[in-house]
């Protein structure tokens, strides 16, 4: 007789690094991962908005997550990447220190975030995944940018 096993729902996550912490975003929100490239500065934007890039003919706004989360100065290296994500039907580039892993996380391993994790406000977080050998901070991309910031960025795309 077949033994009935509980099926654990999993999500596929892109893992990236900011300073000394690992973060994750769901793969279904990620369009691509790009090497660092020339960013054209746009006047009168917040400090964390680094400007725009021309990505395969599409003008894409780029934000620096370290700057957004007040995690210190940007130091771009050979491992720095721009993760292109979809937020409110708009593509936005997120500058991260490194992006080098895709993993499956059981949904039941994701816990509610504490008020502040690594100096980052709970509002930006979906949760914290406790895996056997690592802790992964799950970002809530819909909260990383406010509605006003998203509207301002969508005008940058045009």
């Amino acid at each position: 007789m077949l033994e009935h096993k509980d099926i654990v729902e999993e999500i596929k996550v892109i893992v990236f690094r900011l300073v000394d912490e690992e973060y994750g975003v769901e793969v279904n929100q990620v369009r691509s991962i790009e090497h660092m490239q020339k960013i054209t500065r746009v006047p009168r934007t917040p400090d964390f908005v680094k400007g725009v890039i021309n990505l395969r003919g599409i003008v894409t706004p780029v934000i620096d997550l370290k700057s957004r989360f007040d995690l210190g100065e940007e130091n771009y290296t050979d491992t720095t990447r721009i993760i292109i994500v979809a937020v409110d039907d708009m593509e936005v580039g997120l500058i991260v220190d490194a992006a080098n892993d895709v993993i499956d996380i059981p949904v039941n391993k994701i816990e509610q975030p504490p008020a502040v994790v690594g100096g980052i406000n709970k509002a930006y977080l979906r949760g914290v995944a406790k895996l056997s050998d690592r802790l992964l901070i799950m970002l809530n991309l819909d909260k990383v940018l406010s509605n006003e910031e998203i509207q301002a960025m969508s005008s940058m795309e045009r």
Side-chain angles (χ1 to χ4, degrees):
M1 187 166 160
L2 291 175
E3 189 177 313
H4 176 70
K5 295 194 185 250
D6 291 334
I7 297 173
V8 177
E9 184 184 348
E10 291 184 326
I11 58 171
K12 196 171 281 298
V13 171
I14 301 274
V15 178
F16 63 90
R17 191 172 42 77
L18 289 176
V19 191
D20 295 326
E21 301 291 337
E22 286 190 309
Y23 297 80
V25 291
E26 288 187 52
V27 165
N28 63 4
Q29 292 183 290
V30 176
R31 299 292 180 249
S32 66
I33 299 174
E34 307 292 333
H35 286 273
M36 195 61 186
Q37 53 191 276
K38 182 178 178 347
I39 298 172
T40 303
R41 189 88 178 117
V42 176
R44 294 187 303 276
T45 57
D47 286 344
F48 65 88
V49 177
K50 294 304 163 193
V52 294
I53 58 173
N54 182 344
L55 189 63
R56 293 179 278 284
I58 299 170
V59 175
T60 305
V62 176
I63 68 170
D64 188 299
L65 280 184
K66 278 199 296 197
S67 180
R68 174 62 167 159
F69 297 150
D70 293 323
L71 295 178
E73 289 294 310
E74 318 84 40
N75 264 345
Y76 303 141
T77 67
D78 290 343
T79 62
T80 302
R81 296 291 181 265
I82 300 175
I83 301 176
I84 306 299
V85 297
V87 181
D88 275 4
D89 296 327
M90 181 183 74
E91 289 190 0
V92 176
L94 306 176
I95 300 174
V96 300
D97 291 337
N100 50 10
D101 215 353
V102 179
I103 60 172
D104 293 315
I105 298 177
V107 173
N108 63 3
K109 296 283 187 192
I110 300 173
E111 299 180 4
Q112 288 297 315
V116 174
V117 177
I120 297 176
N121 187 314
K122 173 182 177 175
Y124 300 139
L125 307 179
R126 175 178 172 195
V128 177
K130 289 186 176 180
L131 308 174
S132 59
D133 58 342
R134 66 212 279 196
L135 215 57
L136 193 63
I137 302 165
M138 301 293 298
L139 284 189
N140 183 346
L141 291 181
D142 296 329
K143 301 291 184 198
V144 169
L145 296 172
S146 70
N147 287 337
E148 296 81 24
E149 291 164 340
I150 290 169
Q151 287 173 353
M153 286 193 173
S154 68
S155 68
M156 291 168 66
E157 284 185 311
R158 294 185 188 113

